[in-house]
Amino acid sequence: MEQSNKTNQMNANGNEYFVIKAKDNGVHVIGLTRGQDTRFHHTEKLDKGEVMIAQFTEHTSAVKVRGKAVIMTKYGIVDTEE
Ligand code: TRP
């Protein structure tokens, strides 16, 4: 019961995966906190060709990508401008 409540809550919050592929060295993938307080909680640095597969979680509601990269989501593929 506890587990299924947690699962339902995560589905409402969105636990989708997304993929980020760095097209340059020094791409930053920045996770922003869920809830009242919106702040950076993690920065991951990717070099050219590196791929990060991540999820939106109970801790992460938004992601900012800095640098040249391709981002793949269920909504489509988008790339950052140079
Ligand atoms: N500890 C973080 C979390 O569970 C890890 C994480 C998940 C993350 N998705 C992210 C970090 C996206 C940066 C960007 O939420």
Side-chain angles (χ1 to χ4, degrees):
M1 189 51 171
E2 195 52 41
Q3 181 53 45
S4 75
N5 281 342
K6 184 132 195 205
T7 303
N8 290 339
Q9 194 188 332
M10 272 318 301
N11 289 341
N13 288 337
N15 55 358
E16 284 297 325
Y17 281 91
F18 53 92
V19 175
I20 296 149
K21 182 172 183 174
K23 290 290 175 188
D24 225 340
N25 290 333
V27 168
H28 288 84
V29 180
I30 304 161
L32 288 93
T33 54
R34 187 176 294 282
Q36 272 294 111
D37 180 30
T38 306
R39 60 182 165 75
F40 292 3
H41 68 72
H42 183 87
T43 300
E44 191 67 29
K45 197 173 139 230
L46 304 181
D47 284 331
K48 190 171 183 174
E50 286 187 324
V51 169
M52 181 169 170
I53 302 161
Q55 259 180 315
F56 292 102
T57 69
E58 62 175 312
H59 302 296
T60 306
S61 66
V63 171
K64 176 171 174 172
V65 180
R66 209 176 252 165
K68 200 177 166 197
V70 179
I71 301 135
M72 284 153 261
T73 74
K74 75 168 182 182
Y75 302 105
I77 301 172
V78 65
D79 59 276
T80 58
E81 301 283 336
E82 274 169 88

